[in-house]
Amino acid sequence: MNAQEELVRRLALKRKQKLDPLSDEAFAELELAVRQNPLGFVDDDEEQAFSLIVKALATFEESVRDDDLRDDAQYVAERKRRLDALAATCQQALLLDENCLDAALIAELAVDRPQNELFERLFELEARAQDRLGALEAGVTGDAWTNVFLRPRLRLQAAFARTCINTARFRMAVDTCTSLLATAPLDALGARFTCALAMVRLEDEDGFNWLDAREGRHGNAWFHLSRVILMYKLGRMSAARRALRGFDRLCVGGAYLLLQPTYVDVYLPDRPSFVPNSFEETMLAVHEADPIIADIPDFALWASSQPDFLASAQDYCARNGFEWRSWDE
């Protein structure tokens, strides 16, 4: 979430409404002025609440940068402190604007709770958002992401779909993602990645192929890994082995990350940005696929037994200075 840029855009559009008619050149100058001093243009509770979230997220991200310098105990304590601070700020924002959807979503995500409980809370939040914003969304043409005021609802839907994956509600994940793709077809939030994983778990090969074709079959870590899992689940082992080799070859650190899953903290509120075809992309894809992989007996053992796959993983580990952990640790 590029919160600062969204704040600038929201404030500029609201000020434009008050000043209309305004030429494109005049609006560009207005946006530049807002960028230089956003808080000087905050003049309602809605944007005051959103500005609190922007500041809180910036503070949160600044704290995360020092995590590598902390030992385990320090990390756990600091993580709790910053999540508590973030949740408290969200509550302050909601006192200003009870309809601040980003504040409500982040407040739910920032609390460590069972995934089924989180699902129920996001389900209720999504139902309330639908009641309030459904008519506005129905009037949108093109991609809803272009309307900065609809982005909080899209983020909520994307987070809800990922929670469906984590709670084994795969058909609901597919339905949520396809609805999101219909509303925002350019898919700035990557709902197609979540959808691919859910379709694979349902063994929906036709659906997965449709989704892959929709993306021009360009592929990325989610799609490459999803194809491996799908072929394995369908018992087409020759195709599964080919897909596994492709995942190892095309996804940076693929073999290593599949056999040595890396801890990824909760998304606040949406999937972290990543460079395409990067280690971070593969790490996020494997992390999101973990609930599905964990439910497939012997999948990881099968992958590690394939010729050169384990060696590839260990080679990547050694070349990048990582620590190899045996599975019985």
Side-chain angles (χ1 to χ4, degrees):
M1 177 181 178
N2 193 337
Q4 183 67 29
E5 284 300 309
E6 287 195 23
L7 176 63
V8 169
R9 186 69 177 173
R10 289 166 64 112
L11 294 173
L13 287 171
K14 282 193 171 182
R15 186 57 59 94
K16 179 178 183 291
Q17 284 185 325
K18 296 178 179 180
L19 298 175
D20 267 346
L22 205 62
S23 68
D24 291 344
E25 292 79 6
F27 179 71
E29 291 183 9
L30 170 62
E31 197 167 30
L32 179 60
V34 175
R35 191 178 308 281
Q36 292 172 341
N37 180 28
L39 296 183
F41 289 82
V42 173
D43 55 10
D44 62 37
D45 288 343
E46 181 181 27
E47 299 313 322
Q48 181 64 37
F50 191 76
S51 68
L52 284 178
I53 297 304
V54 172
K55 183 177 179 180
L57 288 173
T59 301
F60 184 90
E61 290 299 324
E62 187 65 30
S63 173
V64 169
R65 292 174 187 171
D66 295 329
D67 278 352
D68 289 343
L69 304 177
R70 300 184 174 102
D71 62 29
D72 289 349
Q74 290 172 332
Y75 168 77
V76 170
E78 173 58 23
R79 179 180 182 275
K80 183 179 186 307
R81 184 205 64 77
R82 67 181 175 232
L83 286 175
D84 288 348
L86 185 58
T89 302
C90 288
Q91 295 305 324
Q92 293 175 20
L94 288 167
L95 289 175
L96 287 168
D97 174 20
E98 64 179 5
N99 294 319
C100 184
L101 204 51
D102 280 318
L105 173 59
I106 295 169
E108 299 295 352
L109 296 173
V111 177
D112 287 326
R113 55 164 54 96
Q115 285 292 304
N116 277 311
E117 182 181 337
L118 177 62
F119 168 84
E120 295 294 341
R121 298 178 76 93
L122 294 189
F123 183 85
E124 293 175 4
L125 186 59
E126 164 63 13
R128 294 199 302 271
Q130 172 62 31
D131 290 342
R132 187 168 63 87
L133 296 173
L136 177 61
E137 290 178 345
V140 171
T141 58
D143 193 298
W145 186 255
T146 60
N147 184 332
V148 70
F149 298 103
L150 290 179
R151 291 182 184 182
R153 171 74 193 291
L154 301 179
R155 280 191 282 268
L156 171 58
Q157 288 181 294
F160 178 70
R162 290 191 296 271
T163 305
C164 289
I165 292 277
N166 292 337
T167 56
R169 293 173 169 90
F170 303 108
R171 177 52 59 191
M172 186 173 286
V174 169
D175 291 344
T176 302
C177 288
T178 52
S179 174
L180 187 52
L181 289 170
T183 304
L186 296 179
D187 194 23
L189 292 171
R192 62 196 185 278
F193 308 153
T194 307
C195 196
L197 292 173
M199 285 177 168
V200 162
R201 179 59 181 82
L202 293 168
E203 299 182 17
D204 182 358
E205 185 175 9
D206 289 340
F208 176 78
N209 286 333
W210 166 82
L211 193 62
D212 194 20
R214 180 185 183 277
E215 298 307 306
R217 304 195 187 280
H218 297 305
N220 67 5
W222 281 269
F223 281 88
H224 293 312
L225 179 57
S226 292
R227 189 169 293 281
V228 179
I229 297 171
L230 179 61
M231 294 300 101
Y232 182 86
K233 284 179 63 63
L234 294 176
R236 302 206 320 243
M237 304 314 292
S238 294
R241 285 189 288 270
R242 287 194 301 273
L244 185 69
R245 289 194 295 270
F247 173 69
D248 182 24
R249 184 179 70 255
L250 297 171
C251 301
V252 178
Y256 168 74
L257 287 165
L258 187 60
L259 300 183
Q260 299 277 286
T262 301
Y263 172 75
V264 177
D265 209 344
V266 61
Y267 297 171
L268 293 168
D270 50 11
R271 183 182 288 114
S273 60
F274 59 87
V275 176
N277 305 313
S278 65
F279 179 84
E280 289 73 21
E281 176 188 291
T282 309
M283 179 176 66
L284 294 174
V286 174
H287 164 70
E288 292 176 30
D290 183 67
I292 296 170
I293 293 172
D295 196 39
I296 305 174
D298 299 329
F299 176 78
L301 285 173
W302 167 80
S304 69
S305 71
Q306 299 310 301
D308 301 325
F309 194 77
L310 177 59
S312 176
Q314 292 176 330
D315 176 66
Y316 188 88
C317 178
R319 285 189 290 107
N320 289 276
F322 298 143
E323 180 182 356
W324 186 267
R325 305 178 307 279
S326 63
W327 289 1
D328 58 356
E329 289 183 359

